[in-house]
Amino acid sequence: MSDPQKLHPIAALLTFLKELKNLVFPVVFLVLMGKGQKNGFWDYLPLAGAGVMVLFVLIAGVVKWLRFTYRLEEGELKIEYGLFIKKKRYIPIERIQSLHISEGLLHRAFGLVKVSVETAGGAESESEAELTAIKKAEAQVLQQFIKQEKKRKSESAVNSHADEAEEADHEDSIFYRSRLSELLLMAATSGGIGVVLSAVFAFLSQFQDVIPYEKIFKEASHFIEMGVAVIAFIVFLALLIAWGVSIGLTLLRYAGFTLRKGKENLMIQKGLLEKQQLTIPVDRVQGITISENPLRQILGYCSVHLESAGSRGEEEDSASMMIMPMVKKERALNMLAELFPDYCFSAELTPLPARAASRYIGRACLYVLLPIGAAVWFFWPFGLGFLAAFMLAALYGFVRFKGAGWRIDGRQLTIRARKVSLQTSFVLKNRIQSLEVIQTWRQKQKDLASVHAAIRSGIGGKRIKVANVSFNDAGEIYRWYELKKEEDYDPGDRDGYCRD
Amino acid sequence: MIGSAFIWLLLIAAGILILMKQWPLWTLFILGAAGVLEVLAVVVILPAMRWKRWRYEVREQEIELQRGVFIVRRTLIPMIRVQHVDTEQGPLLRKYGLGAIKVSTAATVHDIPAVEIEEAEEMRKVISALARVAEEDV
């Protein structure tokens, strides 16, 4: 492995396609500009420009492939690339946390995989520590080599039970595999609330005979019948199609979702067309979040995410990793307790004080004040009907208030809050990087405060928030965080600790 | 900043409305007075109040910050979570012999905006001496 290795030629094509994707808008813009009559050189310029851009990206892809080499040498993964400026990235193997392996359609056609190297912490190391396309066998060799190298290092450091660890690592059995029915349910309930609402709307419009709409809106009746009915139908249809597509996409992405549990790692495999394999070291987990969107909450299902330090996560913009896409909540809690024995997944939280309800309701009403005001103004006097939307807003605020809560168990903080989904986050004290208690002057009048706990997530941070707990409770969380040892924390008359 | 911009947008909108509807001139004067007051508040009064309320404390185990006029924020940063400390000095701060301190944890960055530069340097030394990042916690 110490000779410089090249990527598979397909890598050039993949780089080209990836860069082309970023160029779609400028190229389309230029092509559109270049349409119409051509009377000379200048009229061809936009088209030529588009052509040059595409050509440039193509050449860049090929050059990158030509110059890109990687090798394992002296306990480091050495990656070198670049034409004019030669870039070298040497990653010490003990700094490599895990290899993420994924394969797209093109990869699969040629038996290739993409390998992303996850390092600990490094904020500046992003996509470049990525082997765009190598043979599956090579990836396996790489994986084995890194494993052995790491083992050798740790053995020379501490001559301990490395064999034992090795054995255990092979034993990683499938911990959880999602069923097709669960995935279907997941796809159907993701963001499906709009569809349900419009379905209800369409359903209600069938009751024209029963409910005297015409009496309610005398003059506006024909407007209601014609315009709104047609628009509602079109919107409903569009949403339905979008929903269908999203179900299909979700199924493709999460098909065959399996979670394996090793001694030190969690391994996730998923995807039908584009297969992904993620490895999460358990000791890098910063926090665990159970989220239930309203529909799933009614059905008793939830999904579970992890916040992990240093890894990029499955989405570009978030560092969370889903470890259970759709599970019955009861089962999720049981599995979590088995996966993370350090945590306590108790459901009994300290609720917010009753005086906080008006803050949530008021806030929700404030959000809709402007749109409702505008609607009333434009559709005067029938627009007054829009005032009913305040009821919905108030209901939303109240539901948020009911959902929120907090709890401290030993060295663990649990915070629950809702925007749309109900999110329960579990963090250990030593994973909280800083804690903030915030009090606005309105909150001060009501003796309330908000608590923000910052944890590391990926290469950045994430705040876990709960708004409008009583000021005393906020102080209690603050003091709990301040104290060096959790034994000093007196849980008062709260029910006992989690571990029984 | 955003709040101030919003207020100015409202003021300008009101001004245009007054001109269009040709309401009496004194309404414009009231509007102007409101604008002057706004500038006064944002430029003079609020910064002074903010400065008056800014508190920081560096203890052996933790750093504590408290700030804000209408929104009071109280932040606790344990020493073992501090990853590094920077001091910064722009041209304006240099003129007055001040410096800003940036305390970074694995997830957040906390600013202490204007401290005497000697004190800032001293504090940086103290914090980096006290900060012992526990590797396993990131």
Side-chain angles (χ1 to χ4, degrees):
Chain A
M1 275 315 267
S2 63
D3 317 318
Q5 309 263 323
K6 276 189 116 43
L7 301 179
H8 194 272
I10 288 294
L13 184 62
L14 284 165
T15 314
F16 167 61
L17 290 176
K18 192 179 156 202
E19 294 296 323
L20 199 63
K21 218 167 73 187
N22 299 336
L23 275 181
V24 159
F25 283 108
V27 165
V28 165
F29 177 72
L30 282 176
V31 167
L32 286 181
M33 245 176 67
K35 262 170 87 173
Q37 283 230 313
K38 306 273 189 298
N39 309 315
F41 172 74
W42 292 107
D43 293 334
Y44 285 98
L45 202 61
L47 276 183
V52 167
M53 271 162 88
V54 171
L55 198 68
F56 178 77
V57 169
L58 181 63
I59 292 173
V62 173
V63 166
K64 188 173 175 198
W65 168 70
L66 277 173
R67 305 289 302 179
F68 194 101
T69 64
Y70 71 94
R71 63 186 192 276
L72 281 166
E73 198 179 70
E74 297 157 6
E76 285 183 326
L77 174 65
K78 300 188 171 179
I79 294 174
E80 296 183 6
Y81 61 97
L83 181 59
F84 298 115
I85 305 165
K86 203 155 171 77
K87 291 180 194 159
K88 300 178 178 184
R89 167 158 287 167
Y90 294 175
I91 306 167
I93 284 185
E94 64 267 24
R95 297 283 292 172
I96 295 179
Q97 237 183 67
S98 59
L99 297 179
H100 283 186
I101 294 173
S102 61
E103 40 186 315
L105 276 179
L106 253 176
H107 286 105
R108 297 181 79 179
F110 294 89
L112 306 170
V113 290
K114 180 173 104 179
V115 178
S116 318
V117 179
E118 293 289 331
T119 55
E124 64 285 348
S125 63
E126 12 99 28
S127 59
E128 290 308 342
E130 185 176 275
L131 309 175
T132 320
I134 61 174
K135 286 236 166 66
K136 248 183 202 161
E138 287 173 40
Q140 270 157 11
V141 169
L142 202 65
Q143 238 170 349
Q144 273 306 316
F145 193 88
I146 287 173
K147 206 172 183 176
Q148 277 170 13
E149 193 75 6
K150 269 186 159 172
K151 208 181 114 189
R152 209 166 51 87
K153 279 263 161 69
S154 65
E155 250 175 23
S156 58
V158 221
N159 217 339
S160 62
H161 313 288
D163 292 330
E164 211 174 278
E166 171 81 351
E167 232 169 83
D169 241 17
H170 275 297
E171 254 172 45
D172 39 272
S173 51
I174 292 179
F175 185 75
Y176 159 72
R177 187 201 296 275
S178 58
R179 284 190 292 266
L180 186 65
S181 58
E182 286 173 338
L183 287 175
L184 262 173
L185 199 60
M186 170 193 179
T189 53
S190 62
I193 199 92
V195 180
V196 174
L197 282 182
S198 69
V200 168
F201 191 50
F203 184 70
L204 279 182
S205 68
Q206 295 303 305
F207 283 92
Q208 238 158 15
D209 304 331
V210 188
I211 304 169
Y213 287 110
E214 261 154 278
K215 271 185 194 156
I216 300 172
F217 307 104
K218 253 183 203 157
E219 281 160 70
S221 60
H222 71 276
F223 170 73
I224 300 267
E225 270 169 29
M226 293 301 295
V228 177
V230 169
I231 291 170
F233 182 70
I234 291 171
V235 167
F236 175 65
L237 211 65
L239 281 173
L240 199 68
I241 291 168
W243 190 44
V245 170
S246 93
I247 288 183
L249 287 178
T250 314
L251 278 184
L252 285 182
R253 275 191 61 188
Y254 291 101
F257 188 103
T258 50
L259 174 68
R260 284 189 173 78
K261 182 186 169 215
K263 195 171 171 69
E264 283 153 3
N265 295 313
L266 295 180
M267 276 143 292
I268 289 167
Q269 223 166 0
K270 63 176 186 194
L272 195 63
L273 295 181
E274 192 178 335
K275 278 190 181 169
Q276 271 192 314
Q277 189 186 323
L278 306 162
T279 310
I280 310 165
V282 172
D283 60 351
R284 308 280 293 174
V285 171
Q286 308 288 309
I288 303 165
T289 303
I290 299 179
S291 64
E292 304 156 72
N293 82 17
L295 275 177
R296 292 178 193 166
Q297 197 184 358
I298 292 168
L299 297 169
Y301 279 88
C302 66
S303 61
V304 180
H305 294 261
L306 293 184
E307 252 25 91
S308 165
S311 62
R312 284 169 307 120
E314 48 197 324
E315 311 284 336
E316 298 271 315
D317 51 341
S318 112
S320 307
M321 304 221 202
M322 189 180 273
I323 58 165
M324 295 172 203
M326 185 86 174
V327 207
K328 276 270 179 204
K329 192 166 178 198
E330 196 76 359
R331 193 166 161 225
L333 291 175
N334 285 336
M335 285 200 290
L336 279 174
E338 198 175 325
L339 284 175
F340 302 100
D342 289 353
Y343 287 81
C344 157
F345 299 98
S346 160
E348 282 295 314
L349 300 184
T350 309
L352 305 189
R355 61 184 183 277
S358 64
R359 294 264 316 150
Y360 278 95
I361 292 170
R363 173 67 62 103
C365 289
L366 201 65
Y367 285 148
V368 294
L369 185 65
L370 264 178
I372 288 184
V376 170
W377 176 289
F378 283 122
F379 296 104
W380 185 265
F382 308 105
L384 284 174
F386 284 105
L387 290 178
F390 276 120
M391 304 256 284
L392 285 177
L395 184 70
Y396 168 68
F398 184 72
V399 169
R400 282 191 69 190
F401 159 74
K402 275 312 258 188
W406 65 278
R407 179 191 172 98
I408 288 173
D409 295 284
R411 55 195 202 96
Q412 179 193 318
L413 174 66
T414 308
I415 277 181
R416 191 162 67 195
R418 178 199 288 279
K419 280 222 168 67
V420 177
S421 301
L422 190 67
Q423 301 210 311
T424 318
S425 301
F426 307 89
V427 269
L428 296 181
K429 188 166 158 183
N430 61 337
R431 302 295 190 187
I432 301 176
Q433 304 293 332
S434 68
L435 190 93
E436 205 161 50
V437 170
I438 300 168
Q439 195 180 37
T440 66
W441 62 281
R442 292 284 296 145
Q443 281 176 323
K444 193 167 187 174
Q445 289 168 345
K446 295 211 162 194
D447 200 28
L448 298 167
S450 303
V451 178
H452 293 187
I455 59 167
R456 185 165 175 96
S457 165
I459 56 172
K462 182 188 174 184
R463 276 167 210 275
I464 294 168
K465 307 174 187 177
V466 61
N468 300 315
V469 298
S470 87
F471 189 62
N472 272 339
D473 288 357
E476 198 173 332
I477 297 173
Y478 198 83
R479 274 191 298 285
W480 163 80
Y481 186 58
E482 197 171 14
L483 291 170
K484 193 101 186 32
K485 293 196 191 82
E486 51 274 2
E487 293 90 69
D488 299 337
Y489 174 74
D490 176 22
D493 53 358
R494 224 170 292 287
D495 339 317
Y497 281 28
C498 186
R499 262 149 272 151
D500 31 9
Chain B
M1 276 299 269
I2 296 169
S4 182
F6 186 68
I7 288 174
W8 273 103
L9 264 178
L10 277 183
L11 285 179
I12 290 168
I16 292 172
L17 195 73
I18 288 171
L19 286 179
M20 271 170 50
K21 299 258 178 181
Q22 297 193 317
W23 281 337
L25 210 59
W26 56 266
T27 48
L28 259 186
F29 281 121
I30 290 182
L31 215 61
V36 171
L37 270 181
E38 208 272 342
V39 169
L40 207 67
V42 170
V43 177
V44 183
I45 302 169
L46 269 179
M49 281 169 88
R50 279 205 196 103
W51 169 75
K52 225 175 169 177
R53 305 262 174 125
W54 236 111
R55 297 275 181 282
Y56 63 87
E57 192 179 348
V58 179
R59 294 195 289 265
E60 200 177 323
Q61 301 279 359
E62 65 252 315
I63 303 170
E64 197 164 6
L65 314 174
Q66 185 172 326
R67 65 213 179 277
V69 180
F70 297 112
I71 301 173
V72 181
R73 291 167 179 269
R74 199 167 158 211
T75 312
L76 192 72
I77 313 149
M79 274 301 172
I80 49 167
R81 301 283 163 265
V82 174
Q83 293 215 320
H84 57 267
V85 198
D86 301 312
T87 48
E88 269 181 14
Q89 198 181 30
L92 207 68
L93 287 182
R94 183 172 311 157
K95 184 163 182 280
Y96 294 98
L98 299 171
I101 306 172
K102 272 186 198 300
V103 180
S104 305
T105 70
T108 50
V109 183
H110 305 271
D111 278 308
I112 307 175
V115 192
E116 301 271 348
I117 188 69
E118 293 86 25
E119 202 187 327
E121 293 292 339
E122 182 60 35
M123 200 145 53
R124 195 189 61 198
K125 274 179 211 148
V126 169
I127 294 174
S128 22
L130 288 171
R132 286 173 297 268
V133 178
E135 184 67 35
E136 84 266 18
D137 290 339
V138 177

